[in-house]
Amino acid sequence: MKGTLRVVRLRLAEPLRISRSVTAERDAVWLSVEHRGLRGHGEAVTSVYYGLDTDTLSRLLAGAAAELGRFPDPESALDALREGGLPAPDTPPAVTAAVESALLDLVGKRAGKPVHQLLGTERRPVAATARTIGIVPTERARTQARCLAESGFTVLKIKAGTADPEDDLARVRAVRDAAPTATLLLDPNGAWTPQLAGRLLPRFAELGVEAVEQPTEPGDPEALARLAARSPLPVIADEDAVSFADVERLAGRVQGVNVKLAKCGGVHAALRIEELIAGSGTRLMLGCLTAGTLGIAPAVHLADRARWTDLDGHLLLAHDPWTGIGGTDGTVRAGTGAGLGVRPVPPRAERTAAAPPPARLAAQLAAQKERHHREDVE
């Protein structure tokens, strides 16, 4: 087997502000693994929070690609990865997840089966995905929520954690007014103390929020568990639920865990976590980083297993270099082809999509409608 890398810049349609940072772009490193004329693909993205820059990802993925050369076929390499023999010890989970993605894609193509069938699910997974609304002015949030609801989104996730909690409450209230039937999730990204969270969560519950992700600062899972025991809203651990050991500590003590393949180590690591929490009272949420369709696709093949699905990272981009899982109508679907079922966007479409992003979501939707109208006329 032979592995090759490519680095691509992913730009967001508009900067995403959360309680601890603002993201406008990030790099993706693609790993392609070739064997007997077929290729499998995986993606890892840079993350300041997880300490992964472009050079680090490239170096580690190059090392993993070199290791693949000692295996006779992708099936044996995938078996080794499941058993912990690939990649090298202490490899960051995001790198392991990208290597696994490329191998699953290639193994699926060789077998003529989609990834979800390799994992034991015959029916194509389909799920309503949350769509994130960042920390934006109240009226901007109202406009975004209205446009998203009109596009078909039934689940909206609202970022919180500003210096003044009243701003967060006003934003949630505006979203609720604009999308009265939508399911609302709240994500302060660990911005609150347990005391502040205890005071605020009843107020958000009154606004119809269904669940809250990581309300308290990560690093004290015991405090998070104590908050979950008295919270009027289900508490979903995210930053405090990175590894299997983290989830083992919290299973049955929080109402949910947000499993991101890039932080747990890939599909099979996620399945181990699902098995761990089964019957504990803790439910599975599937989340993601901001990434392209290629990076999101492996998780979509697990979407039928989750209580909450938050796989919208590709929808935040000005241009997604891959296609195949949908999502613009509020629903993600596992690709229909063998392997991951995704494919690169054709060059002509890529040039069209690379135009400067609109300043407002409403303008973006209007531009899309106008473009579709012109295409119909032509």
Side-chain angles (χ1 to χ4, degrees):
M1 287 186 295
K2 180 178 68 174
T4 56
L5 302 183
R6 181 182 173 189
V7 178
V8 177
R9 179 65 49 84
L10 302 177
R11 293 183 172 85
L12 278 67
E14 62 178 82
L16 175 65
R17 180 187 172 196
I18 66 175
S19 61
R20 62 172 179 255
S21 64
V22 178
T23 301
E25 59 184 24
R26 69 191 338 155
D27 283 346
V29 183
W30 295 343
L31 170 65
S32 297
V33 179
E34 183 175 356
H35 183 69
R36 296 185 178 178
L38 292 176
R39 287 186 177 183
H41 306 281
E43 176 182 280
V45 295
T46 55
S47 170
V48 173
Y49 186 79
Y50 291 112
L52 296 174
D53 58 26
T54 308
D55 290 343
T56 300
L57 281 178
S58 298
R59 173 176 55 80
L60 292 171
L61 282 168
E67 284 189 77
L68 292 174
R70 63 187 172 90
F71 295 94
D73 51 53
E75 290 81 7
S76 59
L78 186 59
D79 286 342
L81 186 145
R82 291 171 180 165
E83 295 167 2
L86 177 77
D90 300 322
T91 296
V95 174
T96 303
V99 174
E100 182 194 49
S101 171
L103 291 173
L104 281 169
D105 192 27
L106 184 52
V107 168
K109 288 173 179 176
R110 281 166 54 85
K113 294 182 177 181
V115 165
H116 62 85
Q117 290 186 3
L118 297 180
L119 302 175
T121 300
E122 285 301 315
R123 182 174 296 181
R124 179 189 183 197
V126 176
T129 181
R131 176 64 158 79
T132 300
I133 295 177
I135 295 176
V136 296
T138 299
E139 289 308 309
R140 173 76 174 126
R142 189 189 309 275
T143 299
Q144 286 186 333
R146 183 180 299 113
C147 291
L148 290 168
E150 291 173 354
S151 297
F153 286 88
T154 58
V155 185
L156 300 177
K157 184 167 90 168
I158 307 156
K159 293 292 186 177
T162 57
D164 183 358
E166 294 300 328
D167 290 342
D168 296 330
L169 287 157
R171 189 178 316 107
V172 171
R173 193 174 295 113
V175 170
R176 170 51 74 215
D177 289 345
T181 63
T183 295
L184 302 186
L185 305 176
L186 187 69
D187 187 7
N189 288 106
W192 298 333
T193 64
Q195 295 75 21
L196 180 58
R199 294 196 299 270
L200 290 176
L201 290 182
R203 299 182 67 185
F204 284 108
E206 290 174 359
L207 294 174
V209 172
E210 178 178 290
V212 58
E213 286 183 60
Q214 195 68 43
T216 57
E217 184 177 3
D220 190 351
E222 293 301 317
L224 186 68
R226 288 194 297 270
L227 177 66
R230 66 179 192 276
S231 171
L233 296 175
V235 171
I236 304 169
D238 183 357
E239 287 88 346
D240 269 330
V242 175
S243 67
F244 183 90
D246 292 337
V247 177
E248 190 172 33
R249 186 180 301 115
L250 287 169
R253 305 177 66 201
V254 294
Q255 288 77 32
V257 289
N258 187 345
V259 172
K260 299 174 183 174
L261 303 190
K263 72 175 183 179
C264 75
V267 166
H268 287 93
L271 290 175
R272 288 184 65 223
I273 291 174
E274 180 199 21
E275 183 178 2
L276 168 66
I277 64 176
S280 70
T282 297
R283 306 290 297 278
L284 179 68
M285 179 179 193
L286 279 175
C288 64
L289 302 180
T290 303
T293 281
L294 177 59
I296 306 296
V300 178
H301 284 272
L302 300 175
D304 58 316
R305 304 166 186 260
R307 166 63 180 83
W308 301 279
T309 302
D310 181 23
L311 299 176
D312 69 337
H314 61 305
L315 303 176
L316 306 180
L317 301 179
H319 162 59
D320 185 352
W322 293 76
T323 187
I325 61 174
T328 56
D329 61 350
T331 301
V332 289
R333 304 164 177 85
T336 56
L340 292 175
V342 300
R343 59 193 182 279
V345 173
R348 181 178 178 183
E350 183 174 339
R351 287 195 299 271
T352 301
R360 298 174 61 86
L361 179 62
Q364 182 182 34
L365 294 173
Q368 290 173 345
K369 291 179 181 178
E370 176 63 22
R371 183 167 64 252
H372 294 160
H373 173 72
R374 290 198 305 269
E375 290 171 352
D376 290 342
V377 172
E378 293 169 358

